[in-house]
Amino acid sequence: PVDRAFPRQRIFVDEISMFIADSSSKLHELQAIVENVGEKCRGRVWVFVTAQEAIDNVIEGVKRKRDEFAKISDRFNTRVTLTSDNIDKVVKERILKKKDSASKEIGDRYQKRAGKLNNDINFRDWARAQLIPKLDEESFVQTYPFLPYQLKVIPDIFNNIRSKGGGYSKLSGRERSMLGAVHSVFNDPKVNFKDKKIGEFVTFDMIYDEIAVELDGDTKKVINETERLDSDEGIFINRTLKCLFLMQQLPYIPRTVTNISMFLYEDMDSDFKKIKDRVESALAKLNEAQYVIKDHSGWKFLSPQEKKVEEEIQSIVIKPYEKQQSVRNVLVNIFDIPKINY
């Protein structure tokens, strides 16, 4: 593009981090390109590059070559970083912004159900409850069809999945993933939220579906297996497990039936008690099939390795005399006596 009042050509190079990777020669290539463009075009051509995160933070190879990178970074005097602090604004302004008529309709619907929504969607037992956005008409309209708290916790989910490394490391930076996931729920034919009726919400199992391609195969295989447990009434067991997997990436949220049910809150008129009943039933079946267990933090999705261990434990048959002998040994130690007769 050319600005005729201040004529300059702009060259945009996307995903420079993918180009450089950990190659020292690619670092020097970028440096040479920018220097040559500046020299031959006498400052009338500007080069812009983009990366998924700040380039010196995301690329392992660059971290080991900071002196070389400093020479290149000096060629780019202006740097604009998109962080989690402003990603919320970008999502609201560029993806979720609505026409005035739609905003009014959504706001009117919220006003009629404000008490119910605030009663159902609460964060009293969350460790970071004070950081969760308040649910009011303004925040509701801005974030719809997401609920305000969802835009706060989704980046944390992506960041924690990435931090595990291994099979999860393909998931891109949390800011970039957030934009992609929000976009996808409207454009992915499986979800196609742009054709939904006003009043329906994005649920976390939809978010799982949008990032599943980036997760490791064993985890996806375990979660996909649970589709066979679902009845003809719908796929609530599978959806519950998807939500539980994502919730496990948020250590500040207790994994209770109530909180899992909030992740599956489907529309403004949802009967929250019925959702909780269905989630409780789903967890019981998942527990019986050894896909989940209950621990001190609530319900827990078992990784493929953990599931295998649980299955091995369940396969062990302990005989009555072995139990008696174990109890005798414990009592002997407690009372410090040589023998227990009964």
Side-chain angles (χ1 to χ4, degrees):
V2 177
D3 183 343
R4 301 196 180 280
F6 187 61
R8 292 287 186 274
Q9 290 286 348
R10 286 92 163 179
I11 299 174
F12 290 86
V13 185
D14 194 23
E15 299 287 16
I16 197 66
S17 56
M18 301 292 287
F19 169 73
I20 295 174
D22 59 357
S23 170
S24 182
S25 62
K26 293 289 179 67
L27 278 169
H28 294 143
E29 254 184 78
L30 177 62
Q31 180 182 354
I33 290 169
V34 176
E35 286 178 348
N36 286 337
V37 167
E39 181 182 341
K40 295 184 181 297
C41 301
R42 292 177 293 178
R44 300 184 72 83
V45 174
W46 292 352
V47 179
F48 296 79
V49 299
T50 70
Q52 290 183 0
E53 292 184 49
I55 194 169
D56 50 342
N57 291 332
V58 74
I59 305 172
E60 289 298 323
V62 168
K63 292 177 184 178
R64 295 192 298 269
K65 303 178 177 70
R66 290 196 181 276
D67 291 341
E68 297 173 65
F69 175 70
K71 298 176 184 177
I72 298 170
S73 62
D74 289 343
R75 304 297 185 274
F76 297 91
N77 295 323
T78 302
R79 302 178 201 174
V80 180
T81 302
L82 179 65
T83 69
S84 296
D85 294 333
N86 49 39
I87 190 66
D88 187 69
K89 184 176 181 180
V90 172
V91 169
K92 292 174 184 175
E93 292 294 323
R94 299 305 300 271
I95 303 178
L96 300 179
K97 192 166 185 177
K98 301 152 185 80
K99 295 179 181 178
D100 290 343
S101 57
S103 294
K104 185 178 185 310
E105 182 177 354
I106 294 168
D108 289 344
R109 292 196 180 206
Y110 170 80
Q111 285 297 338
K112 293 177 182 177
R113 300 164 178 81
K116 174 184 182 302
L117 290 171
N118 277 278
N119 185 60
D120 292 345
I121 308 298
N122 68 76
F123 318 100
R124 286 187 286 269
D125 61 346
W126 292 27
R128 299 184 188 175
Q130 73 278 7
L131 302 178
I132 301 300
K134 183 181 179 182
L135 178 58
D136 54 26
E137 183 177 351
E138 181 182 6
S139 65
F140 184 85
V141 172
Q142 283 183 334
T143 61
Y144 183 83
F146 293 83
L147 287 161
Y149 86 92
Q150 291 176 316
L151 299 189
K152 183 71 176 178
V153 304
I154 289 173
D156 289 345
I157 290 173
F158 293 159
N159 189 50
N160 289 336
I161 289 176
R162 286 185 70 240
S163 69
K164 296 181 188 303
Y168 301 108
S169 60
K170 292 189 294 180
L171 195 65
S172 58
R174 60 178 176 175
E175 290 80 23
R176 187 65 171 267
S177 300
M178 179 68 176
L179 291 171
V182 174
H183 244 302
S184 294
V185 298
F186 294 103
N187 300 318
D188 187 340
K190 293 183 297 184
V191 179
N192 199 26
F193 217 90
K194 61 181 179 292
D195 293 333
K196 301 281 188 181
K197 297 177 182 177
I198 290 182
E200 297 185 53
F201 296 128
V202 174
T203 52
F204 274 85
D205 57 300
M206 297 177 188
I207 300 299
Y208 170 89
D209 289 339
E210 297 309 321
I211 66 169
V213 68
E214 306 288 356
L215 302 177
D216 79 281
D218 289 340
T219 296
K220 285 189 292 186
K221 182 180 178 182
V222 168
I223 292 176
N224 291 341
E225 282 176 2
T226 61
E227 292 178 1
R228 65 181 173 80
L229 300 176
D230 288 311
S231 66
D232 295 335
E233 297 175 0
I235 51 172
F236 223 70
I237 292 176
N238 183 247
R239 292 176 61 195
T240 297
L241 192 59
K242 289 174 179 177
C243 290
L244 182 58
F245 169 77
L246 295 185
M247 185 178 287
Q248 252 167 247
Q249 317 308 319
L250 302 169
Y252 51 87
I253 302 179
R255 297 185 296 274
T256 62
V257 170
T258 297
N259 287 331
I260 298 170
S261 300
M262 281 170 50
F263 273 42
L264 285 162
Y265 201 81
E266 297 173 307
D267 61 66
M268 293 185 186
D269 296 314
S270 288
D271 185 330
F272 197 47
K273 184 180 183 306
K274 286 185 178 179
I275 295 177
K276 289 170 66 175
D277 289 344
R278 294 179 72 185
V279 167
E280 201 159 15
S281 175
L283 290 169
K285 292 182 179 180
L286 288 166
N287 182 238
E288 184 181 354
Q290 297 173 3
Y291 287 98
V292 302
I293 58 172
K294 202 167 186 180
D295 64 13
H296 64 282
S297 298
W299 290 98
K300 179 184 178 182
F301 162 73
L302 293 172
S303 69
Q305 296 78 15
E306 291 170 328
K307 187 175 186 299
K308 185 177 179 181
V309 170
E310 287 297 318
E311 288 172 346
E312 289 177 357
I313 290 172
Q314 293 297 322
S315 68
I316 298 173
V317 178
I318 302 176
K319 298 176 181 179
Y321 80 87
E322 293 175 320
K323 294 180 182 178
Q324 292 174 2
Q325 186 59 50
S326 179
V327 172
R328 286 177 186 272
N329 292 338
V330 171
L331 292 174
V332 165
N333 289 328
I334 290 174
F335 295 110
D336 192 23
I337 54 178
K339 184 178 180 182
I340 295 290
N341 293 319
Y342 302 98

